[in-house]
Amino acid sequence: MNTFGDPTIWLPFVFAGLMGLSILIYVVLDGFDLGVGVLFPFAEEDEKDMMIATIGPFWDANETWLVLAVGLLLVAFPAAHGAILTALYLPVAIMLVGLILRGVAFEFRAKAPAPHKRLWNNAFFAGSLMTSLSQGFMLGMYIMGLEWTLVNAAFSLLTAVFLTVGYSFIGATWVIHKTDGALQAKSVDWAKGGIWGLVLGIGLVSMATPLVSTRIFDKWFSWPEALLLSPLPILSALLVFALWWMLRRMPFTHDRVSWLPFAAASSLWVMAFIGMAYSFYPYVVPEQLTIYEAASAPESLFIILIGTLFVLPTILAYTVLAYTVFRGKATELRYD
Amino acid sequence: MMETLLLSRIQFAANISFHILFPTITIALGWVLLFFKIRYNQTGQDRWMEAYRFWVKIFALSFAMGVVSGITMSFQFGTNWPGFMEKVGNIAGPLLAYEIMTAFFLEAVFLGIMLFGFRRVPNWVHTGATFLVAFGTLMSTFWIIVLNSWMHTPQGFEMRDGVAHATDWFAIIFNPSMPYRFTHMVLASFLTVSFLIAGVSAFRWLIGGRTEGVRVALKTAVFGAALLMPVQIFVGDMHGLNTKEFQPAKVAAMEGHWETGGNVPLILFALPDQEARENHFEIGIPNLASFILTHEWDGVVQGLNDFVAEDGTILHPRVAPVFWSFRVMIGTGVAMLLLSWAASFMMLRRKRGVEGLPKPVLYALVGMSFSGWLATLAGWYTTEIGRQPWLVQGVMTTAEAVADVPAPMVLSTLIAYLVVYALLLSAYIYVIFYLARKMSRGEDIGTRIAPAPAAAPNAIPAE
């Protein structure tokens, strides 16, 4: 077991990496389908059905990455799991109610009597909005160190709004890829509007993070780390510019590269995420508990790791399979 | 702190009670759907596909309800019971991780293909997806039951600095009560689904939707229930004997039995009084409990008074809820046995099939549509309340695990959950019977999820 050195060092690191990976996959994948829900009220009735069709076969698997992320936090860093979730008790509860409403609305809106459909559409929107807002709020509270003060709550309200805008932006780019015609044109407009909110949001978080913690400030603005870090803001700026340029000209002839805005938006998430992960490492509860202090016993982590090495590639493989089966423009969802 | 504990317990009970309803359906319904699909592949008869198409919708709906309430459960560990993971996380963690990795993703990914892929993938892939979803739900059940059983009969670990460390994973997974609990739960799921299918199919039959699909579904469900009911009674008895060995206080509470001794009667009715430590208005069958539990007419059975510490601390669960929920489970089970046997007998008589079922029997089937839920919940309460005051038997109490969250906060989330659950449960039951009525009128019941066919005013039901 000591082949790779001290397991109390590398195991927590590996698990922090796995947890980070599943959070990242979650915010990209469930990010776009939550975004579609947030954009729901802006669409016409028949467009709503088409928007559902773009995410119908995927949303459940997308959401499972959240379960995995929280599961990994729970199994790898139990002390941090308790500390973080009890501090975020109320936003977590709001998120859960949101996830419940959204998840069941998919099924009910298609099966309930026609007059009830509007009700379930509203539940779908409300659930998506509650989920996005509360996740954004949790992100803000996490950045601010999980302390309930007026300033922190106010900041978290801002991140709540901006994460929701970010989700609807990536949601719009997904709809651009999966649809054509009027709905696609509409999604291009949504994305055009959303991109500025996204820039503002990333900028705000990037400014607040080093101000809250001198440790992070030093990490960002010390030589030569700053040089190594510089590709992140530079690449992000290039991505934003590319998105802005593309969206002004879309859709291209023959609907070429309709997937590109979604890919660019996902890459933007990845940049923001790497920045966050770099800043907070090695802490799992900001400024209080490091991943090494919070980790479970090595023998338990080892048991999970062995399984993960086999299972994670399998999961990724059949996720790719599912996206391949339902590739191309969304068509009507049929049970038969 | 006391109030927070009580409210957290109520909240957890509410969450898990709501959650368990839906896995109880999906665990078995997945396999029933696979059965329908395989029969269709073998025979090419449309009736099997008709049954598949109707019940796959109920499956999708139940699955979504199970997923969202399950996510709630997974967060509750952190928000309300952080002490649990801090103390036994080294054991519970890997079990939960394996559930997520081996089961959740499998179900979630292949559900999309199972529901919407029929026209996009070859038939065998669709059948394969149905199998993988069914298999995934069963895997999920396995890991959850392993963890739950371990909490009842923990072994394969040692305590170091107040934290449990695994020493033998084989012993942890194959803990003494796991095989009984797992079999009992899976059978409960099959019986729940049998009665649901039988009830809804009888309902459709009664209101005139007498299609071949209804006929095969009803037959499959009634015969399935009739065959499985005796198996369940046998497994339940073995589970009880296992509980007597490892959690005698629970069995004493189930029996309402206070003093250790022989010639114990089987109590049919009583009002257990924990303060006076006796039963009021007791009606029982002499010596039968001794016989059932020890297989000897005068066998000695441990009583509740053995589980009171010298200083008067009560180390057994509250008697009345365990005593009564056990009786509800048994009573419901007996009703299920009688009805499924009576209906099977009538269908077999002169080979008249569903035609041979008189109206009262059909009405009884409709009335018992959710009898499986009742029995499962009652059984669940028996075993879970029966474990109190322990959270992990002999290792940690429920009070040690609770979060230090202000009581009003727990109360507010509890109310929010209860409201949401009440609405969803009503909507769920309503929609099942709505689909059944619509189907019986020969209408399209939404094989299209999206987009809806362009404005079809006559698709709006009259009511």
Side-chain angles (χ1 to χ4, degrees):
Chain A
M1 214 160 135
N2 277 327
T3 329
F4 305 99
D6 185 356
T8 57
I9 298 297
W10 67 266
L11 270 172
F13 187 77
V14 166
F15 272 87
L18 286 172
M19 193 173 76
L21 184 68
S22 43
I23 293 175
L24 178 60
I25 297 178
Y26 173 77
V27 293
V28 170
L29 295 185
D30 213 28
F32 81 69
D33 59 41
L34 284 168
V36 169
V38 174
L39 292 169
F40 228 45
F42 304 110
E44 305 297 328
E45 284 308 306
D46 55 327
E47 293 173 344
K48 288 189 167 112
D49 288 330
M50 186 49 90
M51 285 165 77
I52 288 281
T54 67
I55 54 177
F58 311 113
W59 74 270
D60 191 2
N62 294 347
E63 200 169 283
T64 309
W65 291 98
L66 175 68
V67 182
L68 182 63
V70 175
L72 285 174
L73 177 65
L74 181 105
V75 302
F77 311 106
H81 176 258
I84 293 173
L85 289 188
T86 43
L88 298 175
Y89 189 89
L90 282 181
V92 166
I94 293 170
M95 176 185 76
L96 291 173
V97 171
L99 286 173
I100 291 174
L101 286 180
R102 181 189 69 134
V104 299
F106 273 98
E107 295 297 329
F108 277 119
R109 70 184 290 285
K111 297 180 179 62
H116 296 183
K117 192 173 171 183
R118 181 182 296 269
L119 187 81
W120 290 112
N121 280 344
N122 291 338
F124 182 66
F125 165 67
S128 305
L129 189 66
M130 282 164 78
T131 307
S132 308
L133 286 174
S134 52
Q135 285 179 359
F137 190 87
M138 286 188 254
L139 173 70
M141 285 302 282
Y142 186 82
I143 291 171
M144 301 306 268
L146 299 170
E147 295 267 353
W148 282 85
T149 65
L150 210 60
V151 177
N152 291 358
F155 174 79
S156 304
L157 286 175
L158 278 177
T159 52
V161 172
F162 284 119
L163 188 75
T164 307
V165 172
Y167 278 172
S168 45
F169 174 72
I170 197 170
T173 61
W174 177 254
V175 181
I176 292 174
H177 171 48
K178 296 297 276 185
T179 62
D180 44 27
L183 181 56
Q184 190 185 39
K186 214 177 223 185
S187 323
V188 171
D189 285 340
W190 291 334
K192 268 192 236 166
I195 195 165
W196 300 118
L198 193 66
V199 170
L200 209 58
I202 295 180
L204 184 82
V205 170
S206 307
M207 280 191 335
T209 312
L211 290 181
V212 174
S213 151
T214 50
R215 185 185 62 79
I216 293 178
F217 187 91
D218 294 342
K219 225 172 155 177
W220 282 22
F221 301 105
S222 60
W223 196 260
E225 285 85 348
L227 185 69
L228 293 170
L229 210 57
S230 59
L232 283 183
I234 295 170
L235 275 175
S236 303
L238 284 176
L239 281 167
V240 168
F241 180 77
L243 275 164
W244 174 75
W245 189 87
M246 270 191 293
L247 289 170
R248 277 179 46 193
R249 283 159 183 79
M250 290 196 85
F252 299 119
T253 36
H254 307 302
D255 202 44
R256 264 183 299 142
V257 295
S258 67
W259 52 270
L260 209 54
F262 178 72
S266 307
S267 312
L268 208 51
W269 279 135
V270 175
M271 299 295 155
F273 187 83
I274 294 175
M276 280 276 295
Y278 172 78
S279 307
F280 284 97
Y281 177 81
Y283 287 95
V284 57
V285 180
E287 314 303 321
Q288 288 175 37
L289 202 59
T290 67
I291 55 173
Y292 306 106
E293 294 159 350
S296 297
E299 67 267 20
S300 290
L301 289 179
F302 208 72
I303 285 280
I304 307 173
L305 187 63
I306 293 168
T308 312
L309 290 179
F310 290 98
V311 175
L312 204 61
T314 318
I315 294 173
L316 289 172
Y318 55 63
T319 304
V320 171
L321 173 77
Y323 277 86
T324 312
V325 167
F326 297 101
R327 71 187 173 280
K329 297 293 174 194
T331 49
E332 59 172 0
L333 287 184
R334 295 181 64 102
Y335 275 124
D336 52 10
Chain B
M1 206 50 195
M2 192 55 217
E3 263 190 308
T4 300
L5 174 62
L6 186 64
L7 287 167
S8 296
R9 281 186 63 189
I10 295 173
Q11 178 166 313
F12 197 80
N15 276 319
I16 204 157
S17 300
F18 181 74
H19 173 67
I20 200 179
L21 301 177
F22 304 102
T24 305
I25 287 178
T26 51
I27 294 164
L29 190 51
W31 294 101
V32 173
L33 286 172
L34 182 66
F35 172 74
F36 288 162
K37 186 72 206 285
I38 288 174
R39 291 296 287 148
Y40 171 74
N41 292 348
Q42 284 172 339
T43 64
Q45 292 167 343
D46 282 340
R47 52 184 185 167
W48 294 107
M49 205 56 206
E50 188 200 326
Y52 185 95
R53 281 194 194 116
F54 180 80
W55 286 100
V56 81
K57 291 179 185 65
I58 311 294
F59 183 88
L61 192 58
S62 315
F63 194 89
M65 300 277 270
V67 167
V68 296
S69 55
I71 290 179
T72 313
M73 302 293 317
S74 69
F75 275 91
Q76 296 268 312
F77 287 127
T79 52
N80 296 74
W81 308 99
F84 177 70
M85 287 313 278
E86 280 164 28
K87 193 157 187 174
V88 300
N90 286 327
I91 288 151
L95 299 178
L96 289 169
Y98 271 92
E99 189 206 5
I100 297 167
M101 290 192 300
T102 62
F104 275 17
F105 278 105
L106 197 68
E107 300 166 319
V109 173
F110 286 98
L111 183 73
I113 298 176
M114 173 181 167
L115 293 181
F116 310 120
F118 191 66
R119 283 160 188 270
R120 285 183 173 255
V121 295
N123 187 46
W124 69 269
V125 175
H126 183 255
T127 309
T130 309
F131 166 75
L132 287 174
V133 171
F135 181 72
T137 52
L138 198 65
M139 284 292 279
S140 184
T141 315
F142 175 78
W143 290 114
I144 285 297
I145 293 285
V146 165
L147 173 55
N148 180 260
S149 298
W150 183 83
M151 289 161 68
H152 284 271
T153 52
Q155 62 173 28
F157 69 102
E158 62 183 21
M159 299 301 287
R160 274 182 247 148
D161 305 324
V163 173
H165 284 256
T167 53
D168 181 353
W169 280 102
F170 188 85
I172 290 169
I173 293 173
F174 296 95
N175 65 74
S177 63
M178 191 279 283
Y180 304 98
R181 215 177 285 278
F182 178 69
T183 320
H184 201 45
M185 182 65 216
V186 172
L187 284 168
S189 172
F190 271 91
L191 287 163
T192 303
V193 166
S194 298
F195 274 85
L196 180 68
I197 295 181
V200 173
S201 304
F203 175 76
R204 285 170 63 182
W205 189 262
L206 280 166
I207 61 174
R210 304 193 171 182
T211 63
E212 286 298 310
V214 174
R215 198 185 296 264
V216 291
L218 184 53
K219 264 166 114 172
T220 307
V222 170
F223 287 139
L227 286 173
L228 291 179
M229 233 11 261
V231 182
Q232 178 69 311
I233 290 170
F234 176 70
V235 171
D237 179 56
M238 298 215 309
H239 187 189
L241 295 180
N242 178 266
T243 307
K244 178 172 167 281
E245 191 180 340
F246 291 95
Q247 295 175 298
K250 186 196 286 186
V251 171
M254 283 154 70
E255 300 292 337
H257 176 49
W258 297 96
E259 279 299 330
T260 299
N263 300 317
V264 182
L266 182 75
I267 299 168
L268 298 177
F269 180 91
L271 295 179
D273 182 340
Q274 192 155 316
E275 270 63 56
R277 305 201 70 74
E278 62 178 9
N279 295 332
H280 304 297
F281 310 108
E282 182 176 306
I283 303 168
I285 303 171
N287 294 42
L288 194 56
S290 277
F291 182 74
I292 291 173
L293 290 168
T294 65
H295 297 189
E296 280 168 34
W297 288 108
D298 55 357
V300 174
V301 180
Q302 250 186 314
L304 288 158
N305 289 342
D306 279 13
F307 303 96
V308 180
E310 302 261 312
D311 63 356
T313 312
I314 292 175
L315 292 173
H316 62 72
R318 286 199 66 80
V319 180
V322 179
F323 178 87
W324 275 108
S325 48
F326 181 61
R327 269 146 197 76
V328 171
M329 177 185 79
I330 297 288
T332 314
V334 169
M336 290 164 88
L337 178 76
L338 294 177
L339 181 61
S340 60
W341 278 21
S344 299
F345 175 74
M346 288 170 196
M347 286 208 290
L348 289 170
R349 197 180 49 185
R350 284 182 287 157
K351 301 192 173 164
R352 289 179 62 200
V354 181
E355 245 76 32
L357 290 177
K359 267 199 172 176
V361 173
L362 289 165
Y363 280 119
L365 285 172
V366 178
M368 299 258 297
S369 297
F370 295 99
S371 53
W373 276 2
L374 183 64
T376 305
L377 279 180
W380 193 251
Y381 294 148
T382 307
T383 199
E384 298 306 311
I385 302 174
R387 185 182 51 200
Q388 303 299 329
W390 297 108
L391 181 59
V392 180
Q393 183 83 30
V395 177
M396 80 184 298
T397 62
T398 310
E400 289 172 300
V402 75
D404 188 13
V405 178
M409 213 138 95
V410 184
L411 184 65
S412 61
T413 54
L414 171 62
I415 293 170
Y417 285 128
L418 287 177
V419 170
V420 172
Y421 290 163
L423 289 174
L424 290 184
L425 198 58
S426 324
Y428 176 83
I429 295 173
Y430 174 82
V431 164
I432 288 181
F433 283 94
Y434 167 76
L435 289 178
R437 283 203 308 277
K438 204 170 164 186
M439 190 82 164
S440 303
R441 290 197 299 265
E443 290 171 21
D444 174 20
I445 58 164
T447 49
R448 296 178 177 90
I449 276 215
N458 53 357
I460 297 164
E463 72 260 43

